Amino acid sequence: QALREIYSGLKLGAVFAVVGAVVAEFIVSSSGLGYMIVMYTGQFDTPLVFAALTVLTVIGIGAFYLIVLLERVTIPWYKAITS
């Protein structure tokens, strides 16, 4: 039962790690997607801001579903119980 709790935390942590990395790039970086968002926002280049946000969304969703896949591989009986 503890594995379910651990994987729940890992799923949240993976998404928050992406958000944390981008916020750090907002503040101190001179490259990366966070820097691009800040730079293009200042230049009013909306399509590039949304492109960077789309890439970040895909990375966050990909990290989440990677943990889901790992969860299904390591505790396959959990899905059988909940279905």
Side-chain angles (χ1 to χ4, degrees):
Q1 289 227 2
L3 278 176
R4 294 184 306 157
E5 307 289 331
I6 291 169
Y7 279 113
S8 294
L10 284 173
K11 287 186 256 185
L12 287 172
V15 174
F16 286 140
V18 173
V19 171
V22 172
V23 169
E25 287 178 355
F26 284 164
I27 298 168
V28 296
S29 182
S30 61
S31 64
L33 290 173
Y35 174 76
M36 286 176 54
I37 291 171
V38 171
M39 184 179 67
Y40 293 139
T41 300
Q43 296 175 359
F44 299 105
D45 198 349
T46 307
L48 289 177
V49 171
F50 277 104
L53 288 173
T54 303
V55 169
L56 288 172
T57 302
V58 169
I59 291 171
I61 292 171
F64 179 85
Y65 281 109
L66 183 67
I67 302 298
V68 168
L69 177 67
L70 185 63
E71 179 183 29
R72 287 186 180 171
V73 168
T74 57
I75 50 174
W77 61 88
Y78 174 64
K79 181 154 177 61
I81 293 171
T82 58
S83 317

